């Protein structure tokens, strides 16, 4: 919870009033990098990795929900949030099962795989977004 307050404070200090998708995509890149740091076999590296991941995840959440609130019609805002929270609640047990199995196989490399997955997914989405922008905004 403290990380959420710190992240929102730094976003407030940036003085930028509007959040676009580029900000959200750029906020996920440090998440993946921070998890890869956790592969270093030292307890301090793991602590720093988890702390940084929590900070950047909080930053992502603040940017994401700010974007939703500013770009969604007020009449549909409650429905949109209910869909987001329902999907998160439904997919969480599935993720626990999958990554419980994956972490027993990968052992020490679990953070590297998850961090790499976050980076690859983020770069893929960012690349697709750039291509769509080139098509519709030449």
């Amino acid at each position: 919870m403290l990380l959420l307050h710190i992240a929102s404070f730094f976003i407030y200090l940036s003085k930028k009033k509007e959040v676009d998708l580029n900000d959200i995509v750029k906020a996920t890149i440090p998440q993946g990098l921070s998890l890869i740091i956790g592969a270093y076999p030292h307890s301090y590296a793991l602590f720093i990795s988890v702390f940084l991941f929590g900070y950047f995840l909080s930053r992502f959440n603040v940017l994401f929900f700010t974007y939703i609130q500013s770009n969604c019609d007020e009449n549909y805002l409650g429905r949109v949030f209910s869909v987001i929270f329902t999907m998160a609640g439904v997919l969480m047990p599935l993720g626990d099962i999958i990554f419980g199995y994956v972490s027993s196989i990968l052992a020490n490399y679990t953070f590297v795989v998850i961090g790499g997955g976050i980076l690859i997914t983020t770069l893929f989405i960012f690349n697709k977004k750039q291509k769509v922008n080139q098509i519709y905004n030449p």
Side-chain angles (χ1 to χ4, degrees):
M1 193 65 160
L2 176 65
L3 290 177
L4 182 62
H5 294 298
I6 293 170
S8 60
F9 177 72
F10 282 119
I11 291 171
Y12 172 75
L13 288 180
S14 70
K15 304 284 186 192
K16 188 174 180 182
K17 298 298 181 194
E18 290 188 25
V19 175
D20 62 352
L21 290 176
N22 286 335
D23 295 330
I24 296 171
V25 170
K26 290 175 187 174
T28 58
I29 292 172
Q31 287 178 350
L33 293 174
S34 67
L35 283 180
I36 292 173
I37 293 170
Y40 184 74
H42 196 275
S43 59
Y44 290 124
L46 184 60
F47 174 76
I48 291 169
S49 171
V50 171
F51 179 81
L52 289 174
F53 181 76
Y55 170 76
F56 289 117
L57 180 63
S58 298
R59 183 171 168 80
F60 168 80
N61 284 334
V62 169
L63 290 171
F64 176 73
F65 286 112
T66 301
Y67 179 80
I68 295 295
Q69 287 177 347
S70 62
N71 291 315
C72 185
D73 186 14
E74 288 184 21
N75 296 329
Y76 297 108
L77 197 56
R79 295 177 206 167
V80 169
F81 278 134
S82 67
V83 168
I84 291 170
F85 289 123
T86 301
M87 291 303 294
V90 167
L91 294 175
M92 203 173 303
L94 181 63
D96 290 342
I97 292 169
I98 291 172
F99 283 105
Y101 178 73
V102 168
S103 66
S104 66
I105 294 172
L106 297 176
N108 295 339
Y109 299 105
T110 304
F111 281 153
V112 175
V113 170
I114 294 172
I118 290 172
L119 286 174
I120 290 169
T121 303
T122 301
L123 294 175
F124 178 76
I125 290 171
F126 190 72
N127 188 26
K128 288 293 184 185
K129 184 185 174 309
Q130 295 296 351
K131 287 181 182 178
V132 168
N133 284 342
Q134 288 175 354
I135 291 171
Y136 290 109
N137 302 320

